[in-house]
């Protein structure tokens, strides 16, 4: 049973305003545990504290309270240490929660953190930076770049609608992708360790965060309208079926190494955070973490 926890909390994530985090912390302490909170006021600075905590050997687990990006920072902090990673998902998309079936109720979260098993998860790497879930170049990067963060904190997922419309109004990206030495072209690329995307959207069944696999999805659109229909197909969970019927429209490839370039350069995101511009090289060697999950039935 885990008793000693270090907590990274991103107060800018989601709209929960810390209520869930406070309840989980009280539950852990009431059960005989101890919780030390990072004192930094930014996720980046808190990650430095978290790294020191993980390396100290004084904690059984590092808890990330926030969205997928906060969990990624916590995961990176534990690399090379025996410290497990736990998550209190209070972000906007919370892909990790859907991917691993993480609980949302405070008592269930605290029980998982104390008693839940941990599973190994392999991270990817983008230009040397580890990521947990996925990296995207093209449309989803441009959506993140246009996302109004104060509006996102206020209205949650609804803030993605104007950002998506603005990104779709732009010119189509011209992207060159090399997948394990094979050349391809597309207008939008997603490299993923996870089967879910954005929130509850089923991206593909070709991969799962529970297995050491990675795949790249290549979207090929001839117009903005066709790109919009690809977004709709993603939201409806139809990409696997469409790739089987029409791989020229969207194709799914298992991969270990992907290099993405664009002319002109396009925007890249990792785990829902802005990451810069192409070119980007993505590999499946970001290291392994121990992720706490609910106990099975």
């Amino acid at each position: 049973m885990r008793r000693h926890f270090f907590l990274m909390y991103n107060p800018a994530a989601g709209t929960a305003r810390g209520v869930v985090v406070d309840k989980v912390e009280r539950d852990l302490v009431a059960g005989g545990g101890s919780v030390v909170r990072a004192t930094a006021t930014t996720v980046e600075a808190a990650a430095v504290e978290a790294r020191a905590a993980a390396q100290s050997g004084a904690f059984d687990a590092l808890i990330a309270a926030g969205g997928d990006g906060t969990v990624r920072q916590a995961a990176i902090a534990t690399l090379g240490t025996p410290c497990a990673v736990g998550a209190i998902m209070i972000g906007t998309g919370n892909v990790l929660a859907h991917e691993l079936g993480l609980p949302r109720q405070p008592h269930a979260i605290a029980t998982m953190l104390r008693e839940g098993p941990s599973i190994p998860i392999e991270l990817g790497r983008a230009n040397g930076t580890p990521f947990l879930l996925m990296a995207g170049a093209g449309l989803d990067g441009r959506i993140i770049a246009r996302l109004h963060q104060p509006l996102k904190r206020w209205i949650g997922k609804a803030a993605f609608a104007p950002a998506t419309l603005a990104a779709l109004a732009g010119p189509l990206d011209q992207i060159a992708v090399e997948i394990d030495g094979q050349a391809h072209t597309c207008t939008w690329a997603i490299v993923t360790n996870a089967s879910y995307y954005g929130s509850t959207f089923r991206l593909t069944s070709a991969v799962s965060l529970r297995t050491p696999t990675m795949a790249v999805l290549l979207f090929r659109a001839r117009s903005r309208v066709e790109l919009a229909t690809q977004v709709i197909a993603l939201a409806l969970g139809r990409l696997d079926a469409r790739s089987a019927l029409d791989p020229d429209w969207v194709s799914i490839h298992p991969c270990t190494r992907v290099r993405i370039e664009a002319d002109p350069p396009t925007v890249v995101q990792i785990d829902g955070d802005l990451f810069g511009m192409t070119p980007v090289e993505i590999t499946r060697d970001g290291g392994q973490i121990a992720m706490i999950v609910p106990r099975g039935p």
Side-chain angles (χ1 to χ4, degrees), residues 188 190 197 201-203 219 230-237 239:
W188 176 23
I190 300 173
Y197 178 90
F201 304 138
R202 174 70 79 169
L203 185 63
F219 300 83
Q230 291 171 339
V231 173
I232 293 170
L234 191 162
L236 295 175
L239 294 181

Side-chain angles (χ1 to χ4, degrees), residues 214-268:
M214 189 166 75
V216 55
L217 288 83
L218 304 181
F219 300 83
R220 301 176 183 89
R222 292 162 294 187
S223 67
R224 296 181 182 90
V225 171
E226 191 167 30
L227 185 60
T229 64
Q230 291 171 339
V231 173
I232 293 170
L234 191 162
L236 295 175
R238 294 177 178 172
L239 294 181
D240 282 339
R242 285 301 304 263
S243 67
L245 292 172
D246 189 0
D248 290 331
W249 195 76
V250 60
S251 57
I252 302 172
H253 310 261
C255 59
T256 57
R257 176 187 172 277
V258 179
R259 180 171 177 81
I260 303 175
E261 299 181 354
D263 186 18
T266 190
V267 188
V268 178

Side-chain angles (χ1 to χ4, degrees), residues 46-59:
V48 175
E49 292 185 42
R51 179 65 176 168
Q55 291 178 327
S56 72
F59 298 94

Side-chain angles (χ1 to χ4, degrees), residues 91-285:
T92 304
N94 299 326
V95 171
L96 188 70
H98 299 291
E99 185 78 11
L100 298 178
L102 302 183
R104 300 299 183 90
Q105 298 302 314
H107 180 67
I109 295 171
T111 299
M112 176 190 73
L113 294 172
R114 277 192 299 263
E115 305 171 9
S118 64
I119 61 172
I121 291 180
E122 301 285 342
L123 305 187
R125 193 181 295 272
N127 284 352
T129 298
F131 66 89
L132 181 60
L133 299 165
M134 65 195 63
L139 180 65
D140 57 352
R142 290 191 280 118
I143 291 171
I144 297 299
R146 288 164 171 78
L147 189 61
H148 191 270
Q149 294 297 333
L151 184 64
K152 177 186 171 187
R153 288 191 290 271
W154 182 38
I155 64 173
K157 296 175 186 176
F160 282 89
T164 301
L165 291 174
L168 285 170
L172 296 177
D173 290 297
Q174 303 301 317
I175 300 175
V177 183
E178 184 182 288
I179 304 172
D180 295 329
Q182 298 295 313
H184 302 262
T185 59
C186 65
T187 48
W188 176 23
I190 300 173
V191 184
T192 183
N193 295 322
S195 60
Y196 282 88
Y197 178 90
S199 180
T200 59
F201 304 138
R202 174 70 79 169
L203 185 63
T204 176
S205 59
V207 295
S208 167
L209 205 57
R210 293 178 179 269
T211 59
T213 55
M214 189 166 75
V216 55
L217 288 83
L218 304 181
F219 300 83
R220 301 176 183 89
R222 292 162 294 187
S223 67
R224 296 181 182 90
V225 171
E226 191 167 30
L227 185 60
T229 64
Q230 291 171 339
V231 173
I232 293 170
L234 191 162
L236 295 175
R238 294 177 178 172
L239 294 181
D240 282 339
R242 285 301 304 263
S243 67
L245 292 172
D246 189 0
D248 290 331
W249 195 76
V250 60
S251 57
I252 302 172
H253 310 261
C255 59
T256 57
R257 176 187 172 277
V258 179
R259 180 171 177 81
I260 303 175
E261 299 181 354
D263 186 18
T266 190
V267 188
V268 178
Q269 63 86 16
I270 59 172
D271 293 340
D273 290 335
L274 202 59
F275 187 63
M277 307 291 287
T278 54
V280 59
E281 185 159 318
I282 299 166
T283 55
R284 209 183 67 191
D285 61 352

